[in-house]
Amino acid sequence: MTQEELFKVLVAHCKEYGFIFPSSEIYDGLAAVYDYGQMGVELKNNIKSYWWNAMTRLNENIVGIDSCIFMHPRIWEASGHVAAFNDPLIDNKDSKKRYRADVLIEDFLGKIEEKIEKEVAKGRKKFGENFDEEQFRATNPNVQRELKKYNEVHEAYKAAENANDLAAYKQIIVDNNIVCPISGTCNWTDVRQFNLMFKTSMGSTDDTANTIYLRPETAQGIFVNYLNVQKTGRMKLPFGIAQIGKAFRNEIVARQFIFRMREFEQMEMQFFIKPGTELQWFAKWKENRMKWHVNLGMGAENYRFHDHEKLAHYANAATDVEFKFPFGFKELEGIHSRTNFDLGNHQKYSGKKIQYFDPESGESYTPYVVETSIGVDRMVLAVLSHSYKEEQLENGESRVVLSIPAPLAPVKAAVLPLLKNNEELTNLAQKIMDDLKYDFNCQYDEKDSIGKRYRRQDAIGTPFCITVDHESLEDNCVTVRDRDTMEQQRVPIAEIRALIDKKVNLNNLLRNL
Ligand code: GAP
C-alpha cells in the first residue's frame, strides 16, 4: 500500500471507529472542519493532559490560563495580524479553483525531489552492492539536471518570499509551467494577498456593531493577560503561561484531513524572560519539546527540526518540529523567539505600561518571549497515522491495530465475559468493570465471539482485553490479553488494576521527561 492509499484508509478508519467525522456530514459536510467522535475526544483529551501536565505541573514557574476567543479588535492590529496575516492566493481561470501560490511552488519542488529519489532508487537497483550513492548523485545526468532545476526554482522562490513579491510568485509558476491539478492549464490570475482571519460583528444592532475577529492564535490571549498573571501570581522572570484553546483561520488550501483545518485547537506556552537570554531559552525549549515528543515512543527518527530561513515579523529565531506524516515530513509544532514584539506593541496600542520590575538588577523592562506552539489536531493525526497498522497473523488471519502509546489510548481496558447468556460470568465481568471504571476509561462488551471483540478493541487501540471465563468463577483469575504482543496471561482479579496502571498511567510518561 502506498502512503497515499494508507492515508485514505486511515481517514476511513477514523470515521468507522468514532474518532473523527466530517463536520455537518448530513448536509454534505463543511470544508476543512471536522468533529471528534467518542474515541477521538478521549484521545484528544489525553494528548492535552500530557501537554498540560508536562507544562504546568513539571515546571513550577509555568501556570495556565483560559482566555476568550473574542478579544478587542485592536489586539489584532497590535499583533500585526490585520496587516500581515496573509497568504498569497492565485486562481485558475479555467477550473475557477483557488490555490496558495507558495503551496503550488512547494508541491512542484516536492515533485522534483521525488524524481531525484526515483533516479537514485533505480541506480541502487541496477548497481546493487557496488552502488556509491554520493558519486551517483554527483554524476548522473538525470539527477544533475533535476537538481539544477530544483536549485533555480528554490532560489527564486526564497527571493520572492523574502521580498513578499507577488508578481515574482506568478512568474515562477508561469516559467515552470505549473498547472492547475483540476483543469491542467496554466491560465492563472495574478497573485493577491488574502487575510486569514475570520470576521464577525459584536453588538445589538448593525449600526452599533463592531467588527471583531475569531482569534487566529491563542497566544495573544496570553500576552494581554501577562500583567494580570504576573501580578496576581507574584511571578518572577523567567516564567511561562500556558493555554489550550480553539483558533480559527480561513485557510485557502485546506486539505490533508485534520492537518490543516479552518477551526482547530492549539496548545501554546509563552515563556517570559530577560532580554538578551532569549537564544539560550530558545535552545532549551527546542530540547524540551523534542524530548516531550520522543518520550511517546513513536520513533526519534520520525521527528526533525526545520529552522526557518524567513523569520516572521515578530521573531529573531524560529524552528518547526516536523513529524513524518504519511504525506512526508511536515510541521507539527513551532518554537519561536518572539522578542518583545507583542508586549511592546500591546503597550503602545493600549497605552498601558507593560513592564517587569527586576528586583535583582533594579531595572524595569519589557520581557522577551520564547513561544512553543503545537496544534492538538496535528498531534492527533501524528499519533493516529503512526499507530495504524495492518498485520498478517500467524494463523493466516489479519488484523487492524492502532498501537497508540498506551497512556494516550481512548479506552484503556475492555472487560469481556466469555458468554453473553451466562449470568454468573456477566455479573462478575460487570463487577470488574464497576471496580476499574474509577481509574480507567473501560468498555464492557459481551456481543459476538471473543475473537471479534478482540478485533474491535485492536481497531480502537485498547491496550488490554480482560476475559472472564468459567475458570474465573473458581480461581478468581482472568485472562488478560496485551494489544501489541497479543500474548495472554492469567492474572488474579485483585492484581488487574496494578497491571493496567503500570502501562497506561500518564505519570509514568511524565516521570521520564
Ligand atoms: N502562536 C504562533 C502560531 O500560531 P503557527 O506556526 O501559525 O504559530 C502553530 O501555528 C501550530 O498550530 C502549528 O505548528 C500547527 O501545529 C498548528 N496549526 C496552525 N494552523 C493550523 C491549521 N490550519 N490546522 C491545524 N493546525 C494548525
Side-chain angles (χ1 to χ4, degrees):
M1 211 188 308
T2 63
Q3 289 295 300
E4 214 168 292
E5 285 162 345
L6 179 78
F7 191 52
K8 277 194 188 139
V9 172
L10 176 69
V11 174
H13 187 88
C14 284
K15 187 174 163 210
E16 189 179 347
Y17 287 93
F19 281 88
I20 297 157
F21 306 125
S23 162
S24 323
E25 201 184 3
I26 57 170
Y27 291 93
D28 297 331
L30 186 64
V33 187
Y34 289 90
D35 296 336
Y36 283 81
Q38 65 279 16
M39 290 302 140
V41 70
E42 295 287 344
L43 171 59
K44 202 177 174 193
N45 284 342
N46 293 338
I47 289 172
K48 289 197 256 186
S49 296
Y50 178 43
W51 185 88
W52 186 262
N53 290 345
M55 284 293 175
T56 65
R57 286 212 197 150
L58 302 192
N59 297 287
E60 286 166 32
N61 59 351
I62 299 182
V63 292
I65 62 163
D66 184 18
S67 71
C68 279
I69 287 167
F70 291 149
M71 297 200 283
H72 196 289
R74 290 274 284 163
I75 286 173
W76 304 110
E77 288 171 35
S79 69
H81 283 81
V82 170
F85 196 51
N86 301 318
D87 275 345
L89 71 83
I90 189 167
D91 293 271
N92 183 268
K93 292 182 196 163
D94 299 318
S95 68
K96 310 270 183 272
K97 290 278 172 206
R98 181 162 288 178
Y99 298 90
R100 264 174 65 174
D102 55 338
V103 172
L104 282 177
I105 298 168
E106 276 172 19
D107 285 354
F108 179 72
L109 286 169
K111 280 190 193 126
I112 301 178
E113 274 180 315
E114 261 172 44
K115 273 191 202 160
I116 294 174
E117 292 317 310
K118 264 191 195 149
E119 282 298 330
V120 173
K122 263 201 262 171
R124 191 176 293 118
K125 200 168 167 196
K126 186 171 164 195
F127 296 110
E129 276 183 7
N130 301 324
F131 185 58
D132 180 340
E133 185 171 329
E134 206 176 314
Q135 195 195 359
F136 186 84
R137 282 182 190 270
T139 54
N140 179 279
N142 292 343
V143 172
Q144 284 297 303
R145 190 189 57 242
E146 293 300 328
L147 200 59
K148 184 165 174 277
K149 194 176 359 164
Y150 182 93
N151 289 335
E152 281 168 6
V153 177
H154 188 255
E155 220 167 276
Y157 171 47
K158 287 297 144 198
E161 201 183 23
N162 284 330
N164 210 7
D165 184 345
L166 301 182
Y169 277 114
K170 180 164 180 190
Q171 204 55 49
I172 297 170
I173 291 172
V174 172
D175 287 350
N176 290 284
N177 196 29
I178 299 177
V179 297
C180 161
I182 309 283
S183 67
T185 70
C186 199
N187 191 10
W188 297 106
T189 61
D190 286 341
V191 178
R192 282 164 296 146
Q193 292 286 25
F194 178 79
N195 193 287
L196 299 183
M197 283 198 293
F198 282 103
K199 274 186 202 164
T200 185
S201 50
M202 186 178 260
S204 52
T205 55
D206 274 354
D207 49 336
T208 59
N210 278 324
T211 296
I212 56 167
Y213 301 95
L214 300 192
R215 66 180 178 198
E217 61 172 13
T218 61
Q220 297 304 324
I222 295 179
F223 291 125
V224 297
N225 277 296
Y226 158 78
L227 276 183
N228 286 336
V229 175
Q230 194 269 319
K231 293 220 159 88
T232 58
R234 289 175 288 112
M235 308 298 286
K236 287 207 169 60
L237 250 55
F239 76 91
I241 304 179
Q243 168 161 237
I244 299 178
K246 289 269 181 156
F248 304 82
R249 296 182 188 178
N250 196 4
E251 300 281 1
I252 305 164
V253 183
R255 54 187 153 98
Q256 288 163 330
F257 194 33
I258 57 170
F259 182 80
R260 199 179 298 288
M261 297 154 89
R262 295 198 165 111
E263 173 178 341
F264 57 100
E265 226 171 337
Q266 289 185 315
M267 305 188 281
E268 298 201 294
M269 193 281 297
Q270 311 296 322
F271 201 66
F272 299 94
I273 50 180
K274 189 173 178 178
T277 62
E278 69 272 16
L279 293 181
Q280 280 138 269
W281 282 111
F282 177 71
K284 183 93 189 124
W285 279 108
K286 264 178 88 167
E287 188 189 321
N288 279 359
R289 293 304 302 147
M290 188 55 97
K291 205 167 173 198
W292 182 90
H293 286 287
V294 173
N295 190 37
L296 282 172
M298 301 201 299
E301 69 284 4
N302 291 319
Y303 301 87
R304 69 180 188 196
F305 286 116
H306 172 246
D307 294 334
H308 289 203
E309 286 171 40
K310 186 197 171 198
L311 294 172
H313 56 279
Y314 50 73
N316 71 357
T319 194
D320 294 337
V321 176
E322 292 189 336
F323 181 75
K324 197 172 179 194
F325 289 99
F327 36 85
F329 271 102
K330 293 274 180 237
E331 177 186 345
L332 172 59
E333 169 160 9
I335 301 166
H336 313 119
S337 170
R338 290 181 80 128
T339 66
N340 60 358
F341 174 85
D342 302 270
L343 290 184
N345 265 12
H346 287 307
Q347 176 165 278
K348 201 155 88 194
Y349 279 70
S350 69
K352 306 278 180 330
K353 197 171 162 206
I354 306 179
Q355 298 251 305
Y356 175 74
F357 174 72
D358 190 331
E360 274 171 30
S361 66
E363 12 154 35
S364 289
Y365 49 78
T366 307
Y368 269 41
V369 170
V370 170
E371 158 188 81
T372 72
S373 173
I374 173 169
V376 182
D377 312 273
R378 280 199 195 170
M379 193 57 206
V380 169
L381 185 59
V383 170
L384 286 173
S385 59
H386 180 266
S387 304
Y388 182 92
K389 294 182 183 84
E390 294 181 9
E391 289 181 354
Q392 215 53 47
L393 305 181
E394 276 172 10
N395 63 5
E397 288 180 14
S398 64
R399 71 164 182 164
V400 170
V401 60
L402 291 184
S403 57
I404 297 173
L408 303 185
V411 177
K412 305 296 195 249
V415 184
L416 319 171
L418 189 62
L419 299 172
K420 182 177 165 185
N421 298 324
N422 183 315
E423 226 175 76
E424 275 184 302
L425 293 185
T426 55
N427 281 348
L428 179 57
Q430 196 64 62
K431 194 166 158 282
I432 294 172
M433 172 78 191
D434 286 343
D435 190 40
L436 292 178
K437 72 183 177 193
Y438 296 96
D439 292 306
F440 315 109
N441 187 28
C442 297
Q443 263 192 2
Y444 175 86
D445 188 4
E446 56 180 28
K447 196 168 170 284
D448 297 323
S449 69
I450 281 289
K452 272 196 184 157
R453 282 183 266 172
Y454 282 167
R455 291 293 100 83
R456 275 204 289 272
Q457 295 301 328
D458 285 346
I460 59 169
T462 307
F464 294 105
C465 285
I466 300 161
T467 303
V468 178
D469 55 26
H470 295 101
E471 260 180 75
S472 308
L473 303 171
E474 308 295 322
D475 64 1
N476 265 326
C477 288
V478 285
T479 301
V480 178
R481 171 190 180 266
D482 182 283
R483 172 195 72 193
D484 301 321
T485 61
M486 289 188 290
E487 271 166 20
Q488 304 187 6
Q489 54 172 321
R490 289 298 281 180
V491 177
I493 291 172
E495 290 173 21
I496 312 173
R497 177 183 286 104
L499 180 87
I500 300 174
D501 191 72
K502 199 168 158 207
K503 193 157 175 180
V504 310
N505 195 321
L506 192 60
N507 290 341
N508 294 337
L509 259 190
L510 291 167
R511 273 196 191 96
N512 290 333
L513 285 175

